[in-house]
Amino acid sequence: MELSWKKIVAVVVLVFAGAFGYLWHTNYFVQKEATDYNRLRDLSRAYDATKEIQEAKAKLSQGVEPALVIKNGPTGKKQCALTFDGMADTATTDRILDLLTKYKAKGTFFAEGINVAADPKIVTAIIQGGQKVGNYTYVGLGNVEKLPLDKALAEICTAQKVLKITTDFTPKLFKGANTDYTTQLLKELKAAGIDFAVQSTNY
């Protein structure tokens, strides 16, 4: 009987020690500073787009023309359109911007809302560098045409809101990874305030 009580006490001590060790490892006992929360990836609460989604739904129900698809530029000219899909890190983006400036070239950077929210300085540098910024959904989702209406509008409208709040600029261009621009999706884009969907033909 005495041995079993010792075992119980040992198990209880181990459990408490394990719990304490876990909390210590996760910095539970360390007071958080404001800057610690800047590293959080889920910033959707700060950019709630419920109102914008409802407005887009209302426009869809009333009938809206689809956004236009950009596939090619002017014919007869030796030109290419540079598009950058998804936000790169600051160092990479700065190098790209330096090259574009050096060769007097223009490009369009399609940015995920969540990455813009996490580091607004990158997209601000892009705009200040004279380059264009487009909507790449909130988290960079592909096959956007297959998403349910609510999910598609949430992705599109939330990204629009993040870019508007962080840069005071509302994109008119959209690009979705591996996305087929169906008539329905183009109407959803237009209802969300986007005029053009860009379809790359070469990579």
Side-chain angles (χ1 to χ4, degrees):
M1 188 71 174
E2 184 178 349
L3 184 61
S4 63
W5 276 109
K6 287 182 179 179
K7 286 182 178 179
I8 291 172
V9 170
V11 169
V12 170
V13 169
L14 285 174
V15 168
F16 276 107
F20 183 86
Y22 173 79
L23 294 173
W24 182 268
H25 179 71
T26 57
N27 294 324
Y28 180 81
F29 300 106
V30 178
Q31 177 145 4
K32 301 292 189 296
E33 301 292 335
T35 52
D36 291 329
Y37 294 101
N38 291 337
R39 293 189 291 270
L40 292 176
R41 301 297 293 170
D42 184 9
L43 300 168
S44 56
R45 292 183 186 178
Y47 300 99
D48 179 35
T50 302
K51 179 183 175 184
E52 290 78 3
I53 294 168
Q54 294 302 322
E55 290 173 351
K57 282 184 176 181
K59 290 178 182 178
L60 280 172
S61 65
Q62 295 167 5
V64 63
E65 291 295 316
L68 300 176
V69 179
I70 299 175
K71 296 182 180 180
N72 299 298
T75 57
K77 292 184 178 182
K78 294 182 178 179
Q79 294 179 334
C80 69
L82 297 175
T83 61
F84 302 90
D85 300 352
M87 293 294 297
D89 59 86
T90 304
T92 302
T93 302
D94 286 343
R95 290 176 66 187
I96 293 171
L97 291 173
D98 287 344
L99 286 170
L100 292 174
T101 301
K102 178 180 179 180
Y103 293 102
K104 298 179 181 179
K106 296 294 182 182
T108 303
F109 292 75
F110 289 92
E112 307 98 328
I114 192 169
N115 288 340
V116 173
D119 194 354
K121 292 179 182 177
I122 297 179
V123 76
T124 301
I126 292 169
I127 294 172
Q128 290 176 346
Q131 308 299 333
K132 291 185 178 180
V133 174
N135 185 320
Y136 201 56
T137 74
Y138 184 62
V139 296
L141 286 181
N143 301 117
V144 183
E145 81 283 1
K146 296 180 181 178
L147 296 176
L149 176 62
D150 286 347
K151 179 65 175 174
L153 287 178
E155 284 289 317
I156 297 163
C157 292
T158 305
Q160 288 288 92
K161 185 158 188 176
V162 169
L163 286 161
K164 174 64 177 175
I165 291 174
T166 57
T167 66
D168 198 29
F169 165 80
T170 304
K172 296 297 180 182
L173 297 170
F174 173 87
K175 193 174 185 185
N178 303 314
T179 295
D180 180 19
Y181 294 125
T182 61
T183 301
Q184 175 61 27
L185 176 56
L186 293 172
K187 287 183 178 181
E188 293 168 10
L189 292 172
K190 189 71 172 183
I194 294 172
D195 295 330
F196 303 97
V198 176
Q199 179 176 313
S200 296
T201 52
N202 295 282
Y203 294 87

